[in-house]
């Protein structure tokens, strides 16, 4: 009888332990946010990440300051309803924008070639960031 009580208590403790572990709020391990690495040679001024819906409506637009080569930018959570995100940087008095990435792309390394193709929609022309840096 003592053995049954002991096993019952042990089982109860195990169930309780697993229940608390399942309820932990550890977003980084569960991949709830984004990690963007600047693997380029560009220093991105006024670096921004914008989350949008499938219809193109802005849900969140946050500036992260200067984003240096080799640096990682962690965005802890993706807003509810977001389908895509894009990035932007400021150079030569214009904003330059990346393509839209699906929110399923959670770990992104942006290279010199990729950033060099970011485009602006300012000044009536559609110029590439690469052309502005030369």
């Amino acid at each position: 009888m003592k053995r049954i009580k002991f096993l019952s208590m042990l089982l109860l403790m195990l169930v309780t332990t697993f229940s608390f572990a399942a309820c932990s709020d550890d977003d980084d391990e569960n991949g709830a946010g984004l990690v963007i690495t600047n693997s380029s040679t560009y220093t991105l001024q006024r670096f921004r990440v914008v989350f949008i819906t499938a219809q193109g409506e802005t849900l969140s637009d946050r500036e992260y300051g200067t984003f240096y080569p080799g640096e990682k930018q962690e965005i802890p959570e993706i807003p509810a309803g977001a389908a895509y995100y894009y990035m932007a940087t400021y150079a030569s008095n214009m904003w330059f924008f990346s393509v839209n990435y699906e929110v399923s792309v959670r770990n992104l390394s942006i290279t010199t070639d990729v950033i060099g193709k970011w485009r602006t929609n300012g000044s009536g022309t559609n110029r590439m960031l690469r052309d502005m840096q030369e």
Side-chain angles (χ1 to χ4, degrees):
M1 190 67 159
K2 287 183 180 182
R3 179 170 267 184
I4 292 174
K5 283 184 179 180
F6 174 74
L7 290 175
S8 296
M9 289 297 289
L10 184 60
L11 181 61
L12 180 62
M13 287 180 7
L14 286 173
V15 168
T16 304
T17 302
F18 286 121
S19 296
F20 286 128
C23 293
S24 75
D25 189 20
D26 197 353
D27 288 344
D28 291 335
E29 288 184 13
N30 294 331
L34 302 176
V35 176
I36 302 169
T37 304
N38 183 353
S39 298
S40 78
T41 58
Y42 292 112
T43 297
L44 305 176
Q45 303 294 327
R46 299 180 65 187
F47 179 73
R48 289 169 48 194
V49 177
V50 181
F51 289 96
I52 58 176
T53 65
Q55 294 76 31
E57 298 168 354
T58 300
L59 293 172
S60 171
D61 182 347
R62 181 170 173 202
E63 190 171 308
Y64 291 89
T66 305
F67 192 19
Y68 295 99
E71 189 175 23
K72 286 186 179 181
Q73 194 62 247
E74 295 185 20
I75 292 84
E77 65 182 59
I78 298 170
Y84 303 98
Y85 64 95
Y86 64 88
M87 296 160 286
T89 190
Y90 195 73
S92 301
N93 297 318
M94 289 183 276
W95 282 101
F96 290 84
F97 304 94
S98 73
V99 298
N100 291 349
Y101 293 91
E102 292 184 7
V103 293
S104 62
V105 178
R106 305 264 173 125
N107 196 348
L108 181 65
S109 179
I110 47 179
T111 65
T112 299
D113 186 49
V114 168
I115 293 174
K117 293 177 183 173
W118 288 12
R119 296 181 177 269
T120 186
N121 58 359
S123 303
T125 61
N126 193 345
R127 297 192 278 192
M128 291 183 170
L129 181 59
R130 174 186 64 217
D131 298 333
M132 301 303 292
Q133 299 292 324
E134 294 176 347

